[in-house]
Amino acid sequence: MTALLLTTLLGGPARATSLSFPCAVDYNATTWDTGVSVDMALHNFKVVALGPPWYLEFDLPNGQRITETWNGNWSVPGDGSVTVANPVYHPSIPWGTTFNLGFNATLDGPYANATNFRFQDVGCEVNYTVTVIS
């Protein structure tokens, strides 16, 4: 088994000075020929808590179907749009903290990153890390 690591920074300045976004998402994907497992870390950069309630939205590429989720109330209607609302046990994300969540999905075709991340309808900085297992 061989693993290839690809890393990209999209959507904004370096995290240490990221004041133009209310949040950042570290999107860590491990993919293979038929699936992907994604761990996400949602960081709060605002000087106040995010929520309650809070929600994160993003778009999945064609050919990806979520089969399992963790840490959040997930809505996946089948059109590629995904909404994750806060779980009851975590109604807000305090300033300077991180909330972890994720999903597993099947692939019908080549892997592509999720896009168009929005937190409370405002764009997020997204840091992608993709590990390809072959």
Side-chain angles (χ1 to χ4, degrees), residues 1-2 16 18 38 47 56 58 63-65 77-78 86 101 106 108 110-111 124 130-131:
M1 183 179 303
T2 305
S18 184
V38 176
V47 294
L56 175 70
F58 59 92
Q64 290 187 26
R65 187 174 62 82
N86 63 276
L101 62 159
T106 58
D108 182 18
Y111 172 77
C124 283
V130 179
T131 302

Side-chain angles (χ1 to χ4, degrees), residues 27-113:
Y27 188 92
N28 300 304
T30 301
T31 184
W32 55 96
D33 58 347
T34 61
V36 62
S37 183
V38 176
D39 289 306
M40 293 185 284
L42 178 58
H43 306 279
N44 178 2
F45 290 142
K46 291 184 96 173
V47 294
V48 297
L50 300 173
W54 60 263
Y55 59 92
L56 175 70
E57 299 170 297
F58 59 92
D59 298 327
L60 282 180
N62 288 335
Q64 290 187 26
R65 187 174 62 82
I66 291 179
T67 57
E68 182 180 14
T69 63
W70 52 93
N71 286 352
N73 293 317
W74 292 71
S75 173
V76 187
D79 64 357
S81 64
V82 177
T83 301
V84 186
N86 63 276
V88 174
Y89 56 86
H90 210 300
S92 63
I93 303 172
W95 170 72
T97 65
T98 299
F99 181 76
N100 295 295
L101 62 159
F103 66 90
N104 293 327
T106 58
L107 296 178
D108 182 18
Y111 172 77
N113 287 324

